[in-house]
Amino acid sequence: MILVCGGIKGGVGKTTLATNMAILRSAAGRDVLLVDADDQATASDFTAVRNETLQGNAGYTSIKLHGANVRSEVMRMVGKYDDVVIDVGGRDTAGQRAALSVADVYVVPFLPGSFDVWTLDSVGELVEEARAFNDKLKAVCVINRADSIGSDNAEAAAIALEIPNLTYIDAPMGNRKAFRSAAAQGLAVTEMKRPDKKAVEELEKLYKYLFDA
Ligand SMILES: Nc1ncnc2c1ncn2[C@@H]1O[C@H](COP(=O)(O)OP(=O)(O)OP(=O)(O)O)[C@@H](O)[C@H]1O
Ligand SMILES: [Mg+2]
């Protein structure tokens, strides 16, 4: 399966999702290719740190791709891997569109209580355009960095539920230090010495939504 972690907002958790999903998937015994289609190359930097932490045993293969090559190279390699996870930049780029033209599932994280939720309309339009060429594309959005108190999550969810072409999934990830600390060591939250149980539960719930879809 080809999973794309994207959207048109920066800093919302695309790379966090992509790297954690790639690791959970490879821990489940799958041969995973992680494609870094963001010129900022955060996913590749993460993998470099990971290889240092784990003495070269990242557990998945990582490559960098740019623009239209995302489509052609992924199509060439998809048969060689069980799953491909693509991390894209936080803008509407040729690379993101190329990724959507070959994806099975597109997951778009967004932050509650911010203007993020309004950008989802444009993401829905992007999905509609992609579906003209790729009618199998499933597109979902999910809250990241959910607040533990207040009504922001529910309000954001209510708006997200109304966005055409995007399915809101109820698998929010809380705003938890564990996601940042794990990333700094090149690890998934599940791999920490003392894993944050809530973060792990949230991630596993989302994993099921995405890969059992
Ligand atoms: N659920 C979370 N709880 C706490 N911190 C988080 C969470 N998700 C992401 N972060 C932190 O937020 C920052 C941005 O996350 P990330 O790099 O995954 O976003 P991005 O959408 O890929 O950004 P960009 O658009 O720059 O590629 C990182 O420092 C990351 O560790
Ligand atoms: Mg990123």
Side-chain angles (χ1 to χ4, degrees), residues 31-118:
D31 193 3
V32 176
L33 176 68
L34 176 65
V35 174
D36 188 349
D38 178 2
D39 292 339
Q40 286 186 99
T42 319
S44 305
D45 292 343
F46 171 90
T47 304
V49 175
R50 179 169 179 79
N51 273 320
E52 260 173 48
T53 305
L54 301 176
Q55 287 87 39
N57 295 310
Y60 56 79
T61 305
S62 160
I63 57 163
K64 273 188 217 176
L65 292 173
H66 175 81
N69 275 340
V70 174
R71 177 186 165 84
S72 52
E73 294 301 306
V74 167
M75 279 174 71
R76 201 192 313 279
M77 285 180 279
V78 66
K80 300 190 168 83
Y81 292 88
D82 296 325
D83 297 289
V84 181
V85 177
I86 308 177
D87 180 35
V88 302
R91 289 178 299 120
D92 179 2
T93 59
Q96 179 152 192
R97 285 179 181 250
L100 289 183
S101 75
V102 293
D104 296 297
V105 179
Y106 179 43
V107 58
V108 180
F110 66 98
L111 310 187
S114 70
F115 295 123
D116 270 32
V117 74
W118 302 113

Side-chain angles (χ1 to χ4, degrees), residues 4 10 16 37 52 55 65 74 103 130 139 141 147 166 175 177 192:
V4 177
T16 302
E52 260 173 48
Q55 287 87 39
L65 292 173
V74 167
C141 59
D147 304 313
L166 264 185
N175 189 14
K177 190 166 165 260
M192 301 280 281

Side-chain angles (χ1 to χ4, degrees), residues 9-17 38 40 42 87-90 144-145 173-177 179-180 183:
K9 273 289 282 186
V12 292
K14 300 177 296 294
T15 304
T16 302
L17 256 188
D38 178 2
Q40 286 186 99
T42 319
D87 180 35
V88 302
N144 186 28
R145 304 190 78 157
M173 286 175 299
N175 189 14
R176 303 186 192 287
K177 190 166 165 260
F179 286 102
R180 284 192 304 276

